[in-house]
Amino acid sequence: MTKKKSQAANEDQTIETNKKSVSPALKPQKEKPVVAKQVKSSKEEEDLLLDSDSGADSDYDGDSLSGSLNSDDFDSDIFDSEDDASQRETEGGDGEASEDELHGHEGSDDDEVDSENGEEEDGSDDEGSEEREVAEESDSSEDEVAPRNTVGDVPLEWYKDEKHIGYDITGKKITKKEKQDKLDSFLATMDDSKNWRKIYDEYNDEEVELTKEESKLIRRMLKGEAPHADFDPYAPYVDWFKWDDAIHPLSSAPEPKRRFIPSKWEAKKVVKYVRAIRKGLIKFDKPEEEPNVYLLWGDDSTSDQKSKHLTYIPPPKLKLPGSVTYLFICFSSRIPFSEVFNLYNLAFPGHEESYNPSLEYIPTEEEIAAYELMFEEDRPKFIPKRFTSLRSIPAYENALKELFARCLDLYLCPRVRKKRINIDPESLKPKLPSRKDLRPYPNSCYLEYKGHTGAVTSLSPDCSGQWIASGSADGSVRIWEVETGRCLKVWQFKEPVKCVAWNPLPDFPILAVAMGQDLVILNTELGTDEEQQKIEELLRLGSLPELDESAAAIVSWHQDETFGGIKIRHFKNVSFVDWHPRGDYLSAVMSAGETRGVVIHQLSVHKTQRLPIKMRGLPVCTLFHPHHRGMFIIATKKNVRVFNLQKKELPIKKLETGLREISSMAIHPGGDNLIVGSKEGKMCWFDMDLSSKPYKTLKNHPKDITNVAFHRSYPLFASCSEDSTAYVFHGKVYSDLNENPLIVPLEILRGHSTSSSNRGVLDCKFHPRQPWLFTAGADSVIKLYCH
Amino acid sequence: MDGQGEDASKVIHVKFVTKLDSPFKAPVTSVVIPSNVTRLGLSSIVNSLLTLEKHEAFDFLIDGELIRMSLEQFLLAKGISAERTLEIEYIRAVAPRKEEKPSLHDDWVSAVDGSSPRFVLTGCYDGLGRIWSSPGSCTHILEGHTGAISSIAFANSEGAEGVTVATASKDRTLRLFKVGTDESGDSTARVGAYKILRGHKASVTTVAAQKYGSKVCSGSWDCTINLWDTNESTSELSVPGKKRKGNNQAEESQLEGEADTTLIGHTQCVSSVVWPELDVIYSCSWDHSVRRWDVETGKDTLNLFSGKALNTVDVGGEGSALVAAGGSDPILRVWDPRKPGTSAPVFQFASHSSWISACKWHKSSWFHLLSASYDGKIMLWDLRTAWPLSIIDTHKDKVLCADWWKGDSVVSGGADSNLRVSTGISI
């Protein structure tokens, strides 16, 4: 629609052009403004067409305004432009004609323009319409702009090596156009008649074809004129505020006379200044003198020294400045006495400090003698003396001393600022997680298993957690139902039971019991019938295989008639029994040195092996590694050694506990961490991959630790002690090797009788599946602590 | 009760209402009472209003909550205004009024079932199940187990000529017994099982029977729940109870049964199962979970996590939907599985001092349940108050099992080898 209208307007215009072109050279001097007007009018008209009812002309940009300023119809431009349109079009027609002339003029300047102009001159009638269309397009194209670069005012070589030239307004990359071959581009330029108008826009990476207007604009700028054709630098001056013929002037009073005569007062003033300068009373540009003396010993902590140095250290303060120092200060800084005294906040000297004080101030001989006897610090600092005249006053006797001391002070003062950090001791504590977050852990006792008559020495829960076996000093071994606390079975032996151990296999419910010199394998009869058969077969000693000579000297296998198990008799008292996790081997510890202290029995073939390793010291307890088949850990009284039984060599590892006497040991189910309890109440946590030194040593118990235990699945471990307590710890081992185990003490479990004759808690074991802890007390009670 | 002058400022107008029947119906009049009376005082006021010849204990409800402190404190705590006339509902206090003579067993009483009003079943650690028609009179002994009985239940208590009893034992088997009900006389009949259910690999801990069905389910230490058929598979081996009675050594005539279905999902010992509906089983386990199983599909449809090893579970209460469970701590927890989005217990009762060994909902009341604990106490609970209604502490040792009987009695067995019956509980 707009097009149609504009075309219609064009037709009008062309007609008019034809009319007017008769006299093209009538107003040659008016060329420029007319052209500008023409452009403006075409633009304006278009605007009117686009939004004819908005009256948007009022906020039209500067060129229209500047254009309209010099035009006479300023008002009509804004308010009734539609009416004026035709009128201006006639002017535009004028412009059209003269414009062609202009082209003709400029053609001589520019070759390229020349050829172009030739064409243009042919169809000068169409030119106008085409030009309008171009203008129209360029305007409307602003609404549907191609992706415009938003990189802003950055050097474009930053994008030289990139595939994109920047980003559009939505943040997407604007990719570069492919570079044409030079030859191709040259040919293209040769072919294209409008090539001379084309400009490569580096910023947006596109070729821009300049419109005629734009090329004119550039030309004008090259000439050094104002870029807009409608700007008139020599516009006639319009005196907007002329008031000569106004009806109401601002003031009708006549100008006073004083406005027209020179001021007398000013003249007087000037004469005065001139005289003063002649006399030298006023001096100009006197350089400010820097004082060449300064307060050497003054407190300059407030001075600008601070700001000059980053780490300014003030000199040490004067301690007790002697009077000489004051004098020094007074003389050196040319400051009156009184000011120095004020500066140092001192009292003025009294009569007694005069060189010739009255007699009553002078101490007597006795007083002086008394002063001599006084302690030096109590002696008065100043003893008045009398001199007949100022001349007879001697030099200050301490002058040198004090100066030297001061110099020493300055010389020896620290050159480094000491930094004292205020550390809250609480913040130095390791940040441990709260106990609440580490639940569940055993904390309260709900069940007690009563029945033993002597101290319960050993505990062993079965792997399902349904039963627990206990051995006691009264010679009995009992099996309890965990759930109800009912005693299910009792075996009575003659000797106190040292250790019980439940076979770790779930389908093999047998017990190993150590008492005296015997190790007894008991059938608990808790398995199913088939299991029971297997166990009975296993526990029936047929023809015993020949033992090695070395082993035969230590152990002998017997059938236990009373309880239908196996009795393995050792040459010394057995103190500790441990099963291999596969349930076939079990190790027994005797209190004997070297190779005889530990033997390993194999139940399936009824054989016994001695360890092929020589040990120093008596073994205390042993452990089979939970994963490694051949790994075997032996604790002697001082050290812990890890062996590989298949290689039969020297120990793989030796852990230095630093403990006096090891009492017990437990291994983390992961197999890399070991805790060792000692008889001095210390517990060491070893990270065996980390080092042979303890990762952490916990000193909790005041008395001997009797046993330590790890939980099979929960991150818990515990220690029990002769002080009748058991400690529960959180001990989390991370699968990340870089992370150290987290050890947090959780709970102190009390409850067992603490009478001095008792030996406290003798054993502790975790329930295999629940976070519960069994403790065996010397008070013949077994307690179960639940979460 | 006589109003002193100084108490005159602290009086409350109350009106006693009740749903009880005629002898306990008080005239509906407004009464002025001092505000500092407790439950006892209120009870005596109501008694004086009723003019009963025998003193009766009452419990009082305001806005559906039982009063467990002085009236003044209660009103203050609940923010109820004392200006208007207060309506107090009273019910008969839930407490045993009579203690029956204990029935001594040879060993710990590990299981009790009072779901039939005619009998009480007890299971004992000596491997025998017993049927008691009344406290002190044992009519039948169910024998055959080689291990302690851990659970006992009526598989069919409605039979015309006899009832079927299922027992679970630590010898890894379940046995089914048929018992005639028309037995009379003083002699105690010994009954052998007509069917042995083998299949569990470890001690069976619990048994529950399908209501109006012919199946039982059992939980065991092997982490499974097995479903069994109680039917005598073929007719030729079915022997009436009377004939079998004299022939209890005839082991060869016993049937052996195998599990129909095994529900696998628990990771530790299944400690208790209940079968409240035709195809829904609730179970609790030491793996800290309560699960609901769909019998048809064999899948668990609900999994409540409690954080503690659980010993006992029961379903009842409002709409028979609340799940009560207790275990390895002194807190009895009640869940409402219908509540969306949360698995936190809706009620927690924590007056016991040791593990809870049994909990049972009252069959007809929505609010009442009992719990037995290893601290030797049985507590009766009402959902409307956090304090126990009454505590039965007649047992000398751990209470291992307890159940409601006849709707107004509590039967319980414990480690003191006694079955104790507390009667006269009015609900």
Side-chain angles (χ1 to χ4, degrees), chain A residues 20 86 164 236 238 374 379 466 473 488 617 648 671 677 705:
Chain A
K20 297 260 172 171
S86 59
H164 59 284
V238 183
M374 276 169 89
R379 213 176 290 164
Q466 194 180 1
L488 208 73
K648 307 193 176 183
I705 288 179

Side-chain angles (χ1 to χ4, degrees), chain B residues 155 166 176 197 207-210 214-218 226-228 230 275:
Chain B
L176 298 173
L197 309 174
V207 64
Q210 191 178 23
S214 60
K215 286 192 171 183
V216 291
C217 67
S218 64
N226 280 0
L227 305 187
W228 318 82
T230 58
W275 199 335

